[in-house]
Amino acid sequence: MTVTVRFAPSPTGRIHIGNARTALFNWLFAINNKGRFIQRFDDTDIARSKQEYADSILYDLHWLGIFPDVTEYQSRRFDIYDAAVERLKAARVLYACYETPEELDLRRKVRRTRGLPPVYGREALTLTPEQVAEYQSDGRKPHWRFLLPNFTSDPLQPERTDVHWSDLVRGEETVDLASLSDPVLVREDGTYLYTLPSVVDDIEMGVSHVIRGDDHVTNTGVQIAIFKALGAEPPVFGHHNLLTTTTGEGLSKRTGALSIESLRQDGIEPMAVASLAVLVGTSENVTAAHDLNELASHFDPAATSKSASKFDPDELLVLNRALMHHMSFEDARDRLMVLGISGDKAEAFWLAVRGNLDRLSDAVAWWRILSEGPQEPAEFSGEDRDFLHQAFELLPEEPWNGTVWKDWTGKIREATGRKGKPLFMPLRLALTGRTSGPELSDLLPLMGREGTLARRP
Ligand code: GLU
């Protein structure tokens, strides 16, 4: 059996780091099992779904390094769901209901006061043909509920019915079908809720493993029953914990909080996002993986915590820095070129500055400092000015070799008696305008003798 997974967001907004976690869990699972990855857009809600969101989701996935084998849209598959509805009706497990939301609400309250669980009491099953005819003549349209298999012979007498599965993330899981209402699969206006199309597609598309957020655990009990009603073997399920903000709020596509787009615009590397999205809330150390294959080797769904994990964007910057520090010139070259950093000094420049960058775009400021001089010339005391004057006089003639910085500062030390910070800080300030930054021994050769002398205060 080929392992087949799917990522199935509704295209109703831009995806955030929590959605990316689901996509990445599936993608890494596919990598580790040489499987297929289906991108499926759950866009049965035509009013809220937008192609531009689907496109943006694909863009974000590509940016993260996820390249689906196929892309499917549920909105193009209604006839397949219609056929499944007919099968369920023929099997008498999909039944028409005519209650309004207000009536249902009232019933729930009555059940509560009687100490009964607030689930749907299947009153629609007791309607006489006359009552149904009356509803229809009143113009009421039915919605359709799936009859959960939680009874022996009388659906009005539900009994505890445990559905078990072995969850890839959570281990043994159980849902009691008697604790749930028969789910509505089709609304009054004929539109589909998510539940049925998802099962139909998982069957049709040969999905072997459904990996999704743990907000779907209860759905899984219901959906396993629907798989069986449609004569199919349910897939393996895995429910990962959800991510929250540092203050514990859930993430939402609507608010745009921690959207992949905003992180990209903030200069965060895809592998910083992917590494944290996958490893936060697992027993693995959170370090930045170089690529998704490497991340896959650290990925074990069973090592994921069962409770929600807080996602701290500051940790992204820590991972980003680590990625910058090790990024080869090869990997950085094209992106540097786009930023105007190219030419025969570009590689040496990159190797000199990468250890000081939070983001790749920070390289621009250093490139400017090196090509144009300090952006804001530093102020010096008279004493430091004299010291620098003397120091610049001692700058070795070209050609320079790899020890020029050491040679120069050696001479300065000898001539002025200064050493340590009083020697290096004025030089750093004069050369770069900053109090910290890359090793001056690496920067000096990039400035050249003329460029260095031009920085004399
Ligand atoms: N469209 C559903 C969601 O975004 C998919 C859940 C699933 O993976 O089955 O929550």
Side-chain angles (χ1 to χ4, degrees):
M1 179 200 61
T2 313
V3 164
T4 302
V5 296
R6 83 305 192 271
F7 174 51
S10 300
T12 54
R14 305 208 62 134
I15 51 170
H16 52 59
I17 191 98
N19 307 123
R21 179 169 172 88
T22 309
L24 286 159
F25 268 47
N26 279 285
W27 180 254
L28 300 180
F29 190 79
I31 291 181
N32 286 344
N33 293 282
K34 302 196 176 14
R36 295 171 69 234
F37 179 102
I38 299 171
Q39 175 54 38
R40 191 184 82 205
F41 288 109
D42 284 3
D43 57 350
T44 54
D45 182 346
I46 312 263
R48 288 178 56 225
S49 300
K50 292 211 173 87
Q51 184 63 42
E52 69 183 80
Y53 289 133
D55 293 342
S56 76
I57 290 170
L58 286 172
Y59 187 92
D60 290 343
L61 293 180
H62 292 172
W63 181 74
L64 285 167
I66 295 176
F67 296 91
D69 293 291
V70 283
T71 301
E72 305 274 6
Y73 292 84
Q74 290 195 324
S75 57
R76 300 178 191 168
R77 300 168 54 80
F78 285 122
D79 48 346
I80 302 174
Y81 313 138
D82 293 347
V85 160
E86 291 315 315
R87 283 181 61 194
L88 295 177
K89 281 184 190 167
R92 308 182 69 78
V93 289
L94 195 66
Y95 62 98
C97 303
Y98 291 87
E99 295 91 345
T100 62
E102 295 74 32
E103 285 163 359
L104 288 172
D105 202 36
L106 191 64
R107 285 230 194 98
R108 260 193 303 271
K109 283 184 186 137
V110 171
R111 285 182 73 94
R112 265 209 201 94
T113 50
R114 290 197 192 140
L116 295 167
V119 296
Y120 179 60
R122 291 176 168 158
E123 289 81 358
L125 291 177
T126 63
L127 291 176
T128 62
E130 292 75 30
Q131 286 172 308
V132 171
E134 205 180 312
Y135 280 136
Q136 287 174 345
S137 68
D138 284 354
R140 279 209 203 181
K141 292 248 164 16
H143 53 274
W144 297 82
R145 287 188 191 260
F146 175 67
L147 186 65
L148 288 169
N150 55 11
F151 55 93
T152 312
S153 56
D154 179 2
L156 299 180
Q157 302 287 329
E159 300 157 5
R160 182 176 179 116
T161 309
D162 286 339
V163 174
H164 301 280
W165 72 93
S166 178
D167 197 283
L168 277 179
V169 178
R170 300 163 62 89
E172 289 312 307
E173 276 291 333
T174 304
V175 168
D176 171 16
L177 294 185
S179 68
L180 306 174
S181 293
D182 286 341
V184 176
L185 300 189
V186 189
R187 299 190 186 89
E188 284 81 2
D189 61 1
T191 58
Y192 287 99
L193 282 102
Y194 140 83
T195 319
L196 178 66
S198 179
V199 171
V200 171
D201 283 346
D202 288 341
I203 297 171
E204 286 264 329
M205 296 173 187
V207 170
S208 62
H209 293 74
V210 169
I211 302 172
R212 56 188 179 183
D214 62 16
D215 48 339
H216 286 288
V217 168
T218 310
N219 282 340
T220 294
V222 168
Q223 288 184 319
I224 286 177
I226 300 178
F227 274 100
K228 291 189 174 156
L230 289 171
E233 201 49 47
V236 176
F237 286 91
H239 297 89
H240 63 73
N241 61 351
L242 299 185
L243 302 183
T244 67
T245 63
T246 38
T247 48
E249 290 137 59
L251 305 178
S252 154
K253 278 206 217 107
R254 254 156 294 169
T255 61
L258 292 172
S259 74
I260 301 302
E261 180 192 36
S262 67
L263 298 175
R264 179 171 55 242
Q265 285 170 350
D266 192 24
I268 305 296
E269 297 294 309
M271 280 314 300
V273 175
S275 303
L276 191 53
V278 169
L279 299 176
V280 67
T282 72
S283 52
E284 282 279 334
N285 285 337
V286 179
T287 53
H290 180 255
D291 58 30
L292 292 180
N293 287 325
E294 186 192 324
L295 189 56
S297 69
H298 295 278
F299 171 65
D300 172 9
T304 308
S305 143
K306 284 196 191 180
S307 46
S309 297
K310 290 206 164 110
F311 186 89
D312 181 356
D314 288 347
E315 278 187 55
L316 280 175
L317 215 48
V318 174
L319 297 180
N320 219 55
R321 249 175 245 139
L323 286 166
M324 287 296 117
H325 296 185
H326 296 109
M327 188 178 285
S328 68
F329 178 62
E330 187 92 312
D331 284 346
R333 187 194 341 243
D334 292 350
R335 294 168 63 191
L336 293 174
M337 203 177 300
V338 171
L339 296 172
I341 300 171
S342 61
D344 53 2
K345 286 187 176 167
E347 179 164 7
F349 164 79
W350 175 250
L351 297 178
V353 302
R354 63 180 180 178
N356 283 270
L357 307 180
D358 287 346
R359 300 168 171 81
L360 189 121
S361 57
D362 296 344
V364 174
W366 283 107
W367 184 253
R368 261 196 218 129
I369 289 171
L370 286 172
S371 42
E372 296 163 15
Q375 300 301 291
E376 280 170 53
E379 301 278 328
F380 294 104
S381 66
E383 213 179 311
D384 279 347
R385 196 169 277 276
D386 290 345
F387 161 76
L388 286 167
H389 191 80
Q390 221 179 333
F392 276 87
E393 289 297 326
L394 296 165
L395 186 65
E397 292 293 334
E398 278 170 336
W400 285 353
N401 59 24
T403 60
V404 61
W405 172 253
K406 206 163 152 249
D407 299 342
W408 184 28
T409 50
K411 281 196 208 160
I412 300 172
R413 190 178 301 121
E414 226 169 81
T416 65
R418 286 202 191 193
K419 55 183 185 207
K421 201 169 168 196
L423 182 151
F424 293 111
M425 191 50 80
L427 284 173
R428 179 173 283 286
L429 274 171
L431 295 174
T432 69
R434 294 195 182 187
T435 53
S436 64
E439 294 290 342
L440 290 169
S441 56
D442 295 331
L443 296 184
L444 196 68
L446 291 165
M447 295 179 203
R449 188 165 198 277
E450 206 181 317
T452 305
L453 290 177
R455 288 164 163 84
R456 191 195 322 223

